[in-house]
Amino acid sequence: MPKDKKGTTTLPQAQAQAQAQAQGEAAVEAEAAPETTGYRPVFAVREFRAVFLAHALSLLGVVVSEIALTVLVYELTRSPLLSALAFALGFLPYLVGGTLLSGIADRFPARRVLVVCDLVCAGCAALMVLPSTPVAALLALRCVIAAVAPVFNGTRMATLTEILGDGDLFVLGRSLLRIVSQSAVLVGFGLGGVLLTIVTPRGALAVTLGTFLASALLLRFGTRRRPARAGGGSLVRYSLAGTREVLGDRRVRALLLLLWAPPMFVVAPEALAAAYADEIGIGAAWVGLLMCAMPVGTIAGELYAGAALSPATRSRIVLPLAAGGLLPLLVYPFHPGLGWILLALLLAGSTGAYTLGLDRWFVDAVPEELRGRAMTVHTAGLMTIQGVGMALAGVAAEFWAVSTVVGGVGVLGTVCCVLLVLEVRRTEGAGAGRTKGPGIDTRDGADHDMTGR
C-alpha cells in the first residue's frame, strides 16, 4: 500500500489520487487569478465566495447570540456574575476543543466537518430558543458551541490552502476572513443591540439559528468534497500527537508564538477601556470609541497591506511590525489626551498587518498532512491567550492605575515580541515545511479575533 511521502500516515491510493485531483482543480482555478496585489483575484475563486459568505453569516450570528445570551441569562437570574459567565464561556472551552478534538480537521473530509460543526451549533441555538431550557443548560450549550469553534476554524483555514493554494491567494483569503471577524465585532454588537429592542433575547437567538443553517447550506453546496488528509487510531491520541508535533517543531513553534504574543498584549487597552474612561473622567459614552479604535486600525492596516503591497513587501514588514506593534501603548502613562490615545490605538491595530506575511510563512512551514491540526491549535491558542491577557490586565489594574498597566503592557509585550522575532530569525531554514527564511519561498521567491469564529 503506498504511503504519503510527506508524513508517516498511510493513505489509500484512491484517496490520495482523489486528493491530488481536487488540489489540481483548485490550482487551475487559482491560476486564473494571477498573484498580484489586491483582493479581486481571491473573489474570482467560486468556492472562496461560498466560504466567505458562510463565514460572514455565521460570525454575525455568533456575535448577536453572545449579546442575546448575556441579556437572557441576566433576565432569568438577575445575576451579573452568571451574565458575565455566559460571555466568558465563549473562550474557556477553546483550549479543550483545540487540543483534544484537533484531529477531526485532518481525520475526516473537510466539507463534512464544516457542515456538521454548523449543524451542531444550529442545534445548540435551537435548544437555547426553547422557553423551557434552564440557565444551566444555556451555559452548557454555550460551552458546546465554543468547543466546536476551534475545530471549525482550523478545518476552514486548512481547507483554504486547498481552495486557494498555499501561496499569496491563501494569504489574501485569510486576511479577508480576519477583516470580516473584526467588522463583525463592530457591526454585530450594534446590530445585536438594535435587534434586542425589536425582539426578545430568544428571538435574537432564533436569528443565530438561521445564520448557522444558512452557513451549512452554503458550505455543503458551494464547496467541493475533498478526502481526509490522514487518519487512524484514537481521535484523542491522534489530536494530542498532532499538537505535540506542531509545538515540537522549533520553526513552527516560533511562528505560532509570534502569531499569539501581540494579540495577548494588545487586548489590554480594550479590556480596560471602561476603567480607563473612568480614570481620565470622560464618561461611559466614550468607552465604545475606545474599544472601536483598535479594530478600525486593524481593518485599515489589513486592507492596505492586502490591496497595495506586493507579497515580497508584506513579507519584509512582518518582523518590524511584530517587534514594534505595541510601542504606541507607551503613550498611556503620559496622559496625552483622548485624541492621542485614539491615534495610538489606531496605530497599534494597524500593525496587525504583520499577520499577512506571517500566515504565508506558517502555512509553508507546516506539512500538508498536519495542517488541519496545526490550524486548529493556532486558533485555540489565539483565543485562549487573548482571554489570559484580558484576565491578567484586569488583575494588574486592581493594584495600579490603568494608564500604568497599559504602558507596562506595551513595554513587556515589546520585549517578548522582540525575543520572538529573534527566535524566528534563528529558525530560518528550519522546520518541516518549505520555508527557507523570512520572505523566501522555494517556489516563487515571493487568524486578533475575539469572536469565536
Side-chain angles (χ1 to χ4, degrees):
M1 182 177 291
K3 293 184 179 180
D4 185 356
K5 301 299 183 182
K6 288 190 176 182
T8 59
T9 305
T10 301
L11 293 174
Q13 184 176 10
Q15 185 182 40
Q17 290 175 345
Q19 186 173 8
Q21 181 180 1
Q23 291 173 342
E25 291 172 354
V28 169
E29 191 169 2
E31 284 175 3
E35 187 166 307
T36 59
T37 58
Y39 291 101
R40 183 177 298 178
V42 185
F43 284 111
V45 181
R46 179 187 59 80
E47 281 189 283
F48 177 77
R49 295 196 297 270
V51 171
F52 178 83
L53 184 55
H55 175 62
L57 284 172
S58 64
L59 187 58
L60 193 60
V62 167
V63 175
V64 171
S65 72
E66 288 174 346
I67 303 173
L69 187 60
T70 301
V71 173
L72 177 60
V73 170
Y74 184 75
E75 287 182 354
L76 294 174
T77 65
R78 294 297 170 184
S79 168
L81 174 60
L82 289 176
S83 179
L85 186 61
F87 188 83
L89 286 175
F91 303 97
L92 299 180
Y94 255 76
L95 189 59
V96 176
T99 53
L100 301 183
L101 303 178
S102 64
I104 293 175
D106 287 323
R107 291 255 324 250
F108 300 96
R111 186 176 68 179
R112 184 191 305 170
V113 173
L114 294 174
V115 172
V116 169
C117 284
D118 265 335
L119 292 178
V120 168
C121 292
C124 290
L127 292 174
M128 289 177 180
V129 172
L130 297 177
S132 58
T133 305
V135 172
L138 290 174
L139 297 179
L141 292 168
R142 180 74 173 108
C143 286
V144 172
I145 293 177
V148 166
V151 177
F152 182 93
N153 287 336
T155 305
R156 183 184 58 213
M157 286 176 63
T159 302
L160 278 184
T161 65
E162 298 174 340
I163 294 175
L164 300 174
D166 54 8
D168 195 53
L169 284 185
F170 166 79
V171 173
L172 294 175
R174 174 71 181 135
S175 171
L176 281 169
L177 297 187
R178 272 197 304 267
I179 289 171
V180 170
S181 298
Q182 292 290 339
S183 302
V185 174
L186 299 175
V187 176
F189 284 143
L191 181 61
V194 172
L195 187 62
L196 288 174
T197 65
I198 303 172
V199 300
T200 65
R202 292 192 192 273
L205 288 169
V207 173
T208 297
L209 167 61
T211 61
F212 281 131
L213 292 176
S215 174
L217 289 171
L218 280 167
L219 293 171
R220 172 60 182 82
F221 297 105
T223 61
R224 298 189 184 111
R225 185 190 184 281
R226 292 176 172 85
R229 297 176 189 84
S234 164
L235 175 60
V236 172
R237 285 199 298 269
Y238 180 70
S239 299
L240 292 176
T243 301
R244 286 194 298 269
E245 190 173 349
V246 168
L247 297 179
D249 185 286
R250 184 180 177 186
R251 173 67 175 175
V252 174
R253 183 174 63 247
L255 295 174
L256 264 180
L257 290 175
L258 195 57
L259 283 165
W260 290 345
M264 175 185 179
F265 293 102
V266 85
V267 296
E270 292 179 311
L272 300 176
Y276 183 70
D278 181 63
E279 180 180 300
I280 63 177
I282 60 174
W286 293 94
V287 173
L289 193 58
L290 287 169
M291 295 188 71
C292 288
M294 196 174 295
V296 169
T298 302
I299 293 170
E302 288 238 7
L303 283 174
Y304 176 78
L309 302 182
S310 67
T313 302
R314 290 197 295 267
S315 187
R316 283 195 294 268
I317 66 175
V318 169
L319 298 184
L321 289 184
L326 295 166
L327 290 176
L329 302 185
L330 299 183
V331 305
Y332 267 77
F334 298 98
H335 305 287
L338 182 60
W340 289 105
I341 292 295
L342 293 175
L343 179 60
L345 293 174
L346 285 168
L347 288 175
S350 67
T351 62
Y354 84 96
T355 54
L356 275 79
L358 195 55
D359 276 343
R360 177 68 177 268
W361 301 354
F362 182 67
V363 77
D364 280 345
V366 176
E368 184 178 337
E369 71 276 5
L370 190 63
R371 280 181 184 168
R373 285 168 288 170
M375 299 299 186
T376 304
V377 169
H378 165 41
T379 301
L382 182 62
M383 292 296 292
T384 301
I385 207 163
Q386 286 180 98
V388 170
M390 286 184 170
L392 291 178
V395 170
E398 291 290 326
F399 300 95
W400 297 285
V402 174
S403 55
T404 302
V405 171
V406 176
V409 164
V411 173
L412 180 61
T414 298
V415 171
C416 290
C417 290
V418 168
L419 292 176
L420 286 173
V421 163
L422 294 176
E423 173 66 5
V424 168
R425 283 196 175 279
R426 282 193 291 266
T427 60
E428 293 179 14
R434 295 178 299 276
T435 303
K436 302 301 181 185
I440 302 174
D441 186 276
T442 59
R443 293 162 301 153
D444 54 22
D447 26 164
H448 181 50
D449 179 0
M450 290 301 298
T451 61
R453 274 247 171 175

